[in-house]
Amino acid sequence: MSAARIPFVDLAPQIALLQPELEAAFRRVLAHGRFILGPECRDFERAFAAACGTRFCAGASNGTAALHAALHAVGVRRGDEVITTPHTFIATAEAIRHCGARPVFADVDPDTMLLDPKSVASAITPRTRAIVPVHLYGCPADLGTFAALSKRTGIPLIADAAQCHGATYRGRPVDDFSLAASWSFFPGKNLGAFGDAGAVTTNDEALAKAVSIYTNHGRDTKYLHRVDGTNYRFDTLQAALLLVKLPHLAAWTRARQHLAARYRALLDTPDFRELGVRLQALPEGAESVHHLMVVRIPHREEVAHRLAAQGIECGIHYPVPLHLQPALAHLGGHEGMFPHAEAAAAEVLSLPLYPEMPEDRVEIVCNELKSTLQSLATASAK
Ligand SMILES: *Cc1c(COP(=O)(O)O)cnc(C)c1O
């Protein structure tokens, strides 16, 4: 029996740390009253672009809206195809569907669990209008190869960066390798708002402008709606609160990386390998910001169940690959179609990780994981 409950994430420490500043920011917005596209929206867009090492940022109402707006801005429309990974959150496919386009899945790399450029290359057709790699778990996809593929084919790369705030590839911002990236500030993400929020970053000024116009009813002045649009606006209150948190992101990322390194040191050992534990391999040149600490294990459901009984909360990201989701059945997906994504979905378990997690809990979790796997291995050998 482990002593204390170990939560999967805990948002309370960051709120406690920043409470006075958050309240002051909240009061400033109440006082000026510009709740829609107020001055904090511009300020955050500028600050987040700088933090990402990108020239432009356009805020949006959430990460799904941001990806949809970015795809719309590069011209994805009805009848087009967009290639992405089946091993992701469903929002990636929803954003493609919202453009009227067809999500075309390609398998992941068996070791990194990230979209595999080779399987993407073989899924390209004359209708392919964009490629959407997902920087899953905080780890950039194989961006060097994707950038070369995009250059060779002329097909734009729009990255789903919802899980990788601050990640780098070959020491450079991930935005240097794709035309645009979409971000989510869902509360549990590495940079989380206090409600829904999202953004698109890009070095392309026209694209940023197109996203801003699309997300604000297609207008560039109050009464002139030049293009098709919708309401995906960035919320002033969220922007004001995110501005308080952003300066801490780099330190929070270092704390995540420190805890993840501790996890990896404990788990990447003969004992755990013998029990069938595997870690996410990181593509050459990719530096992960460890949104999640994911292990691949046998008996996943039973292990998660037993750890929960010991007070250790885990997550599963994600148990059903998108080509097997009922909501996307019309795409004609079937079992066996993407064996590497299906294997990942069956084996992944996300262990507790958040920047303020006391380091000794890493050891408690790993010890409990080991004894659980040992008892299951003994049971199945009988
Ligand atoms: C969180 C997430 C999204 C969606 O973000 P929302 O802000 O919840 O709309 C999209 N893609 C991935 C990979 C995510 O993790």
Side-chain angles (χ1 to χ4, degrees), residues 62-64 88-89 91-92 134 160 162-163 184 186 189 196-197 318:
N62 59 68
T64 313
T88 179
F89 183 56
T92 315
V134 179
D160 181 339
Q163 301 190 0
S184 167
F186 178 83
K189 299 286 159 79
D196 278 311
Y318 298 89

Side-chain angles (χ1 to χ4, degrees), residues 58 72 76 78 81 98 182 211 226 251 257 284 296 302:
H72 182 88
V76 176
R78 192 161 302 283
E81 295 176 355
H98 293 332
S182 64
V211 168
R226 290 194 189 278
Q257 289 170 328
E284 173 110 29
R296 304 179 68 166
E302 185 58 26

